[in-house]
Amino acid sequence: MTAPGRAGIGTSPPRPDGILKVRGDFAYASDLWHEDMLWGMTLRSPHARARIRSVDVSRALARPGVYAVLTHEDIPGSKFYGLDIRDQPVLAIDEVRFHGEPIVIVAADHPETARRAIAEIVVDYEVLPAIGPAEALEPEKYGYVHAPADYKAHGCGNIVDRRHIHHGAGDSAEVRARADVIVRGEYRVGMQDQAFLGPESGLAVPAEDGGIDLYIATQWLHVDRDQMCPVLGLPPEKVRLTLAGVGGAFGGREDISMQVHACLLARHTGKPVKIVYNREESFFGHVHRHPATMVFEHGARRDGTLVFVKAEIVLDGGAYASTSPAVVGNAASLGIGPYVVPNAVVDACAVYTNNPPCGAMRGFGAVQMCFGYESQMDRLAAELGLDPVELRRLNAMEQGSVLPIGQIVDAPAPVAELLRRVKAMPLPRAANRHDVRELPGGLSNTTHGEGVVRGIGYAVGIKNVGFSEGFDDYSTARVRLEVINGAPVALVHTAMAEVGQGGITVQAQIVRTELGVDQVTIAPADTRVGSAGSTSASRQTYMTGGAVKTAAEAVRAAVLDRGRERHGWTPAVTAGLRLAGGKVVGAEGAVLADLVELLGDAPVDETVEFRHRPTEALDRVTGQGFGHVQYTFCAHRAVVDVDVELGLVKVIELAAAQDVGKAINPLAVVGQIHGGSTQGLGLAVMEEIVVRDGEVRNPSFTDYLIPTIVDTPPMPVDVLELADPNAPYGLRGAGEAPTLSSTPAIVAAIRAATGLALNRVPVRPEHLTGT
């Protein structure tokens, strides 16, 4: 490795897209345009569950300006798609299973023409009772979301997937007898939306070779392609995807939405087709966070040492599988938290329902569990009369601890230290009761301090990094070093989706570090290069960063081989060489060669696939195995003021401490912690998709509330850098962990202020006032 130099790893260079986004000049997917393009639009079901008796599209087809009206009968290939289980119809066939399911797609010369055509389509429904999570567990009584014959390997009845973890002696009578105190709690988590600001959008362009070029805002280009090829009846080489500008993702773009619809319309009409969802349609067009019902039992000795934990978890997977099997795996394997527990039993399942499909969202099954087990730790501390932070520190895992899945933690796990640091941070001052902006209710002037009580709460969480349980997780990177206008220039090409996380900045930092050049160009992400995997699971800096690092190392080795051939350097001399400032520099700092001279007219070009160390599927009976490649930890302290008379909450401060292994870009790391903490705040006190009998009641940012700058408090952050010896540069994925512990910390602070149990999130005013 060369010296970091200017804008290498460990520095915080400006993001190339930052100024454009702040000024409103960044080109998002919704800004795409093509000459003679058509506009696509979707007819969606107004019912959560219904049989389709008939679909009449004749009036829509007759409308001037309409070029295509397609149903499932017009699909040239497979009629189903899906990430893990291909159970979701591209367009509904004979039944709709959730409110907003696509039935018909239209292409027209103007969006208003398309809208009017949609309004003229007549669908005859036989409405059926919607099946919710409770009913799904009794299929003999309430029915099946899918016909039993349709269930694939993971499905059984209305169960998408089920996981069991058995650790030690479980919760046997003998184990329970060792506990001096047993606390039991039931907890619920509502349906949270990713609420990205850039709606689903893309442009499909038919190609002369009979293929299709799709410009799309997504998280995983290659898996989008692989799901669409069977539907379109085309080989992979004829379905080419290029990443367009993405306005946030957080898991909601991991499944395909309008991609395949745009491509079907473009192939049918022979014209480019653009689809852009409005905000309401976006709520129906992507998956959400799984609602959860969790029952925990924690047994402990009088001194606070945990004896056993038992957890029963039911996740609402909605109408189709999406990533529910993997989410269940995460929920089960991480469901005890970052604690040493000698005995544990976890049963987790996801059920099919007639609610909106649920899948990937930042935290991926670990968010719900963290709210449950951290609420339990507070309850246990109260029962034992112990400080809640000290109880957590007493039971905190560390390097060498054994997880409930039997895996040994083989990298630093500074759980106790994170808790110590966050507790030691200075507390914020008391609110100024003469300034209503500092009080719950703010400028609505609901109080001048009467009935306002302050509370403080703590929480810590554990999250896996990367794809787990034997998944072949890899990323591809191409790095090219050449001379342009008399200077060495590096080109990086990957399929990594830049969704706002700053990955393109990190790639350039890595190449500057490894190759010692200032000029680095990042090529547009597309499917011409091998897969980079999904921009999810906090994995891209680890995986695509690792791929870029490995490719750059291969380029550097090739350059030094040229120097050995031309200058006769011995292997001993070569071993001590590094690249810096466009030069080859010796161990003593002497310049031995110029990169321009070594490269000449012959660029060096290397493409590599990078894989993390292998994991294995957890045993289906015991849940034991080396399931996850890496773990990451974050602790929070929340300070809140609560108007206990009106049920209004103001989060005064949300402090965090997190171990990131190595901060490749320190400013971006802090930004990730701030962003994750803010999403956790939203889940704690405001964010929920309200579903009644399968119907979404609040598909808008008027009624689905997300934190604004007014709601977001100061967030002091303490970043630890304890290197993981198994990861590139020792880094840890940083994006998801703060989303876990922020929610239970805030709720713990509200409990401290009110004395209420508060077993459900989000916490609403009526939960605090009892009205």
Side-chain angles (χ1 to χ4, degrees):
M1 186 177 75
T2 70
R6 187 172 65 187
I9 66 167
T11 67
S12 299
R15 290 177 50 148
D17 55 345
I19 292 176
L20 293 172
K21 288 178 176 176
V22 170
R23 289 178 174 172
D25 294 330
F26 185 79
Y28 290 99
S30 54
D31 298 313
L32 291 166
W33 192 267
H34 196 288
E35 184 180 356
D36 198 30
M37 75 180 185
L38 302 176
W39 295 83
M41 202 160 286
T42 310
L43 174 69
R44 297 179 178 273
S45 169
H47 307 294
R49 185 184 180 208
R51 291 190 184 94
I52 299 174
R53 292 194 181 107
S54 64
V55 179
D56 182 357
V57 302
S58 57
R59 291 180 60 192
L61 275 171
R63 174 170 285 277
V66 172
Y67 282 74
V69 181
L70 306 183
T71 69
H72 73 92
E73 295 178 347
D74 301 296
I75 295 173
S78 171
K79 296 187 180 186
F80 295 88
Y81 70 94
L83 278 170
D84 289 342
I85 303 171
R86 300 206 170 187
D87 62 350
Q88 184 159 357
V90 176
L91 294 168
I93 300 172
D94 54 8
E95 184 174 346
V96 290
R97 295 182 174 88
F98 72 95
H99 181 203
E101 181 159 7
I103 302 171
V104 184
I105 50 177
V106 169
D109 58 6
H110 191 279
E112 181 60 21
T113 305
R115 187 193 67 77
R116 293 184 180 186
I118 288 289
E120 291 178 323
I121 297 170
V122 178
V123 182
D124 183 16
Y125 300 97
E126 179 190 347
V127 179
L128 302 172
I131 296 173
E135 294 86 358
L137 295 172
E138 298 184 76
E140 295 82 5
K141 182 176 181 180
Y142 295 101
Y144 296 87
V145 176
H146 298 259
D150 292 339
Y151 288 100
K152 310 304 185 221
H154 292 292
C156 179
N158 282 326
I159 305 296
V160 186
D161 200 8
R162 185 189 297 277
R163 295 301 187 90
H164 179 75
I165 307 290
H166 191 279
H167 176 58
D171 69 330
S172 65
E174 181 183 350
V175 166
R176 297 176 76 92
R178 297 178 203 157
D180 298 314
V181 171
I182 297 176
V183 297
R184 183 183 187 277
E186 181 172 338
Y187 306 95
R188 295 178 183 270
V189 176
M191 184 183 291
Q192 187 180 20
D193 187 61
Q194 295 85 353
F196 39 73
L197 298 185
E200 292 85 345
S201 50
L203 175 67
V205 182
E208 291 183 357
D209 66 353
I212 202 87
D213 293 296
L214 177 65
Y215 302 87
I216 186 68
T218 183
Q219 289 180 238
W220 195 347
L221 290 164
H222 285 77
V223 159
D224 282 7
R225 181 197 66 185
D226 294 345
Q227 290 181 80
M228 290 192 296
C229 285
V231 176
L232 299 172
L234 291 173
E237 63 271 16
K238 288 198 173 183
V239 181
R240 298 169 288 268
L241 276 68
T242 299
L243 188 72
V246 183
F250 314 114
R253 300 186 200 269
E254 196 160 75
D255 297 74
I256 62 175
S257 55
M258 46 63 58
Q259 290 95 316
V260 69
H261 295 160
C263 290
L264 285 168
L265 290 168
R267 287 204 73 203
H268 189 87
T269 62
K271 288 178 172 289
V273 174
K274 177 179 179 178
I275 296 180
V276 181
Y277 289 174
N278 61 26
R279 181 56 57 191
E280 178 177 342
E281 188 171 17
S282 180
F283 273 93
F284 297 111
H286 62 260
V287 298
H288 313 288
R289 189 185 301 287
H290 291 75
T293 300
M294 305 166 286
V295 178
F296 282 90
E297 283 187 297
H298 280 60
R301 296 192 178 94
R302 186 62 58 187
D303 66 358
T305 304
L306 288 172
V307 175
F308 77 92
V309 176
K310 180 180 181 181
E312 296 177 349
I313 302 150
V314 178
L315 302 173
D316 181 352
Y320 298 107
S322 183
T323 56
S324 285
V327 172
V328 172
N330 262 20
S333 59
L334 304 173
I336 304 303
Y339 302 112
V340 176
V341 183
N343 309 286
V345 175
V346 182
D347 281 297
C349 73
V351 293
Y352 283 116
T353 69
N354 290 121
N355 290 332
C358 291
M361 184 175 174
R362 193 178 198 167
F364 204 79
V367 166
Q368 299 92 321
M369 299 306 102
C370 190
F371 174 63
Y373 62 67
E374 286 300 87
S375 297
Q376 280 287 99
M377 293 300 281
D378 283 338
R379 181 171 289 189
L380 184 60
E383 183 71 21
L384 293 169
L386 298 176
D387 179 281
V389 173
E390 294 312 310
L391 175 67
R392 289 171 168 86
R393 296 188 69 209
L394 172 67
N395 292 285
M397 67 170 54
E398 57 189 13
Q399 189 167 0
S401 296
V402 180
L403 293 159
I405 60 173
Q407 182 175 345
I408 297 173
V409 180
D410 59 0
V415 177
E417 176 63 13
L418 294 173
L419 287 162
R420 185 196 68 78
R421 289 187 177 221
V422 80
K423 187 176 182 180
M425 290 184 182
L427 285 165
R429 62 170 177 78
N432 179 2
R433 298 197 170 200
H434 299 290
D435 187 344
V436 294
R437 294 173 300 177
E438 296 188 14
L439 298 171
L443 292 174
S444 57
N445 201 26
T446 56
T447 182
H448 290 275
E450 309 88 349
V452 175
V453 181
R454 176 156 290 189
I456 301 172
Y458 296 87
V460 63
I462 177 174
K463 177 67 178 64
N464 63 316
V465 172
F467 296 151
S468 301
E469 294 197 53
F471 189 93
D472 183 19
D473 193 4
Y474 72 94
S475 183
T476 311
R478 175 189 173 214
V479 175
R480 176 184 177 93
L481 187 61
E482 60 188 323
V483 177
I484 299 177
N485 293 329
V489 177
L491 172 73
V492 182
H493 188 192
T494 77
M496 182 207 74
E498 172 61 72
V499 301
Q501 81 276 20
I504 55 174
T505 310
V506 165
Q507 289 181 20
Q509 290 180 256
I510 290 172
V511 170
R512 291 189 189 104
T513 296
E514 298 299 332
L515 298 182
V517 297
D518 290 331
Q519 297 185 51
V520 180
T521 299
I522 308 297
D526 55 36
T527 52
R528 293 180 303 151
V529 68
S531 176
S534 174
T535 299
S536 62
S538 304
R539 63 179 290 283
Q540 282 294 10
T541 300
Y542 189 127
M543 296 303 300
T544 300
V548 171
K549 177 178 185 289
T550 305
E553 289 170 341
V555 168
R556 186 177 69 235
V559 169
L560 295 180
D561 283 344
R562 287 188 185 179
R564 185 184 300 115
E565 293 172 0
R566 295 183 187 180
H567 299 286
W569 299 333
T570 65
V573 169
T574 306
L577 300 182
R578 59 190 176 90
L579 305 183
K583 312 290 183 182
V584 179
V585 180
E588 303 300 322
V591 174
L592 301 184
D594 190 289
L595 273 183
V596 172
E597 176 262 321
L598 288 179
L599 291 169
D601 295 328
V604 178
D605 200 316
E606 298 286 348
T607 300
V608 304
E609 285 184 355
F610 174 83
R611 285 174 166 82
H612 60 59
R613 54 186 176 150
T615 57
E616 62 186 13
L618 300 182
D619 185 273
R620 279 278 168 174
V621 176
T622 65
Q624 302 298 291
F626 190 91
H628 303 297
V629 67
Q630 188 186 65
Y631 297 93
T632 183
F633 310 92
C634 183
H636 277 91
R637 182 190 68 197
V639 180
V640 306
D641 280 347
V642 182
D643 186 331
V644 297
E645 297 172 353
L646 297 178
L648 301 177
V649 176
K650 182 175 180 63
V651 182
I652 300 299
E653 183 185 84
L654 191 54
Q658 182 169 336
D659 176 26
V660 302
K662 170 65 179 178
I664 303 298
N665 185 310
L667 187 60
V669 164
V670 172
Q672 285 289 316
I673 296 171
H674 283 169
S677 300
T678 303
Q679 281 191 306
L681 183 157
L683 179 59
V685 296
M686 62 181 70
E687 291 191 48
E688 182 179 10
I689 296 178
V690 178
V691 181
R692 296 286 184 267
D693 296 324
E695 181 181 345
V696 176
R697 305 299 295 273
N698 59 333
S700 73
F701 281 168
T702 300
D703 299 309
Y704 181 93
L705 303 180
I706 59 176
T708 68
I709 192 66
V710 175
D711 306 297
T712 306
M715 295 182 180
V717 174
D718 192 347
V719 175
L720 278 72
E721 296 185 83
L722 304 179
D724 179 345
N726 302 297
Y729 302 119
L731 67 86
R732 294 180 192 266
E736 291 179 287
T739 315
L740 276 63
S741 48
S742 46
T743 298
I746 291 169
V747 178
I750 299 172
R751 289 193 195 106
T754 64
L756 298 173
L758 301 178
N759 293 338
R760 187 190 189 282
V761 288
V763 176
R764 300 188 180 281
E766 60 266 28
H767 300 154
L768 304 181
T769 62
T771 58

